[in-house]
Amino acid sequence: MLELSSITKCFKKNCVINDISLSLPKGLHLLTGPNGAGKTTLLRILAGVIAPTTGQVSLNGMFLPNDSVRFKAHMGYLPQNFGIYPEMTAQKFLKYFAELKGIPAAVASAKVEEVMDIAQISSFHNKILRDWTKGMRQKVGIAQGLLNDPDLLLMDEPLSGLDPEERFYFCNLFSQLSSERIVLLSTHI
């Protein structure tokens, strides 16, 4: 269960999130609204990237920021502006992220292959990321979010740059994944 208790976030005198409290069980949840509504700010708080001005976030009894390391070990996150290392191949990039997420080396290669297959990028595993389109890079971002088989999957505009067929595929994927975890997607679409 993901629980938010009285979350407020202010930047100087401008409060973009004001007193949000909610509980999210396993399932697919959508965060929608126009640009500037605070969707990305809320996801950044949930991912532990920024702290709320007031309030508390917990996942299955782990609290941010007190249990930050354990909390993040159970979370996958695709930020809105996902960066890549342009000289790396997708396979090398994902192995690097597997190491950052503490996935044991003995299982990392198999896990990388699994998420590349899920994200439909296996056939491009040795292609340098600099040469990838925005949509293909987005798929790498989705793949890295799945590496640690998270209990909480946060995806900020995950369908950005994807064509209609790919959007349909990933919407179905997120729906399937939500049977075993909390999936929270933000979108202005």
Side-chain angles (χ1 to χ4, degrees):
M1 180 77 67
L2 177 66
E3 298 187 63
L4 287 69
S5 177
S6 300
I7 298 293
T8 296
K9 182 61 180 177
C10 301
F11 297 98
K12 296 187 180 180
K13 294 181 182 179
N14 183 26
C15 291
V16 294
I17 297 173
N18 191 16
D19 197 29
I20 294 178
S21 295
L22 59 92
S23 296
L24 297 178
K26 287 181 185 177
L28 179 61
H29 307 278
L30 298 177
L31 186 58
T32 62
N35 290 333
K39 300 181 303 291
T40 293
T41 299
L42 182 59
L43 286 178
R44 293 182 76 210
I45 290 169
L46 298 178
V49 176
I50 60 174
T53 305
T54 62
Q56 194 167 48
V57 176
S58 70
L59 175 65
N60 300 330
M62 298 173 285
F63 292 87
L64 285 176
N66 299 349
D67 299 321
S68 177
V69 173
R70 284 188 327 128
F71 188 105
K72 290 178 181 180
H74 292 269
M75 178 194 70
Y77 174 52
L78 173 65
Q80 184 176 31
N81 297 314
F82 179 69
I84 53 135
Y85 293 102
E87 299 302 320
M88 287 185 174
T89 63
Q91 191 172 46
K92 186 173 181 181
F93 181 81
L94 290 169
K95 283 184 180 179
Y96 173 69
F97 265 83
E99 187 175 331
L100 290 176
K101 291 178 183 234
I103 298 171
V107 297
S109 291
K111 194 64 182 167
V112 165
E113 294 304 319
E114 177 186 333
V115 297
M116 287 180 70
D117 187 49
I118 291 170
Q120 299 183 328
I121 55 174
S122 293
S123 61
F124 303 101
H125 70 281
N126 283 323
K127 187 175 178 184
I128 301 293
L129 291 173
R130 172 186 57 236
D131 299 331
W132 288 40
T133 66
K134 177 174 176 20
M136 290 173 65
R137 289 178 185 178
Q138 195 73 350
K139 290 179 182 184
V140 172
I142 292 169
Q144 70 75 32
L146 297 172
L147 274 169
N148 59 332
D149 197 24
D151 296 325
L152 171 63
L153 184 59
L154 303 171
M155 298 269 144
D156 196 353
E157 299 287 351
L159 306 177
S160 174
L162 301 179
D163 67 36
E165 186 176 306
E166 292 169 330
R167 286 179 182 205
F168 182 77
Y169 169 79
F170 282 101
C171 284
N172 284 329
L173 173 66
F174 296 138
S175 180
Q176 291 168 4
L177 291 171
S178 71
S179 68
E180 300 173 4
R181 71 198 85 232
I182 301 164
V183 179
L184 180 58
L185 308 177
S186 80
T187 182
H188 64 278
I189 299 172

